[in-house]
């Protein structure tokens, strides 16, 4: 058992989050912080990093946009289908295999909708693991809290 502390003394209000964690030796974790500085929330997730034996990559999706929100899905322009479906607020999916070295465009949409809420263009590298993160304020379409898709490389 450990306590993970996340602090930002330069922000206003000050961020000071203590996260109780039971961590296992030899495993990797990501701590996601989200919501606002005044009411920070966190999610600790086991990364389950497995390097593909072929040239593919691995991706997962984290839905951490600030409420109110319905469940969302990630649509792939290349695949012409959803990569992730019906992901609830604060959920982080497991990693799944995904083709590498192909430029793809992902769109986040409310479940069952064809309206694009945010877009991400990226080219996954061989044998890499990524988190596609939906963040910001759901109702904000410009400025510093704009809802957006972003990419985090895990391995």
């Amino acid at each position: 058992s450990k306590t993970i502390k996340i602090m930002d003394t330069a922000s206003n209000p000050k961020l000071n989050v203590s996260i109780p964690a039971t961590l296992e030796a030899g495993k990797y974790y990501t701590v996601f912080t989200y919501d606002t500085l005044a009411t920070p929330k966190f999610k600790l997730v086991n990364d389950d990093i497995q390097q593909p034996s072929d040239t593919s990559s691995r991706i997962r999706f984290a839905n951490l946009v600030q409420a109110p929100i319905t469940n969302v899905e990630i649509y792939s322009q290349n695949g012409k289908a959803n990569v992730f479906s019906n992901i609830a607020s604060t959920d982080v999916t497991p990693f799944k295999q995904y083709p590498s070295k192909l430029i793809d465009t992902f769109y986040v949409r409310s479940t069952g909708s064809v309206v694009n809420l945010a877009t991400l263009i990226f080219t996954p590298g061989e044998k890499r693991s990524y988190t596609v993160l939906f963040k910001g304020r759901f109702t904000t379409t410009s400025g510093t809290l704009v809802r957006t898709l972003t990419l985090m490389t895990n391995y």
Side-chain angles (χ1 to χ4, degrees):
S1 293
K2 301 285 182 189
T3 299
I4 299 168
K5 292 191 68 80
I6 300 174
M7 301 171 67
D8 181 354
T9 57
S11 64
N12 190 8
K14 306 286 186 235
L15 177 64
N16 188 355
V17 178
S18 293
I19 303 166
T22 302
L23 308 174
E24 296 180 45
K27 292 192 176 187
Y28 298 92
Y29 298 86
T30 298
V31 177
F32 295 97
T33 57
Y34 60 99
D35 210 312
T36 65
L37 287 172
T39 58
K41 295 179 177 68
F42 67 89
K43 186 163 189 93
L44 177 68
V45 179
N46 180 347
D47 285 343
D48 188 28
I49 300 294
Q50 297 176 21
Q51 191 175 39
S53 58
D54 58 11
T55 61
S56 67
S57 64
R58 297 177 75 227
I59 61 171
R60 69 178 173 187
F61 176 66
N63 182 8
L64 300 177
V65 75
Q66 190 180 7
I69 185 174
T70 59
N71 291 5
V72 296
E73 53 200 23
I74 297 292
Y75 180 84
S76 163
Q77 183 174 317
N78 281 357
K80 305 287 188 237
N82 290 333
V83 179
F84 298 101
S85 298
N86 204 30
I87 307 303
S89 181
T90 75
D91 277 358
V92 179
T93 68
F95 285 102
K96 68 188 298 183
Q97 201 161 340
Y98 200 76
S100 65
K101 301 188 290 185
L102 297 174
I103 298 172
D104 201 352
T105 303
F106 284 167
Y107 301 101
V108 64
R109 300 171 171 173
S110 295
T111 296
S113 172
V114 295
V115 175
N116 299 329
L117 302 173
T119 304
L120 173 70
I121 300 170
F122 83 107
T123 306
E126 290 183 16
K127 300 181 181 280
R128 305 301 281 184
S129 295
Y130 302 93
T131 300
V132 177
L133 176 64
F134 187 37
K135 65 177 189 164
R137 186 175 289 147
F138 184 76
T139 56
T140 303
T141 57
S142 65
T144 58
L145 298 176
V146 65
R147 66 180 181 229
T148 188
L149 276 180
T150 191
L151 188 67
M152 182 173 84
T153 303
N154 295 90
Y155 174 81

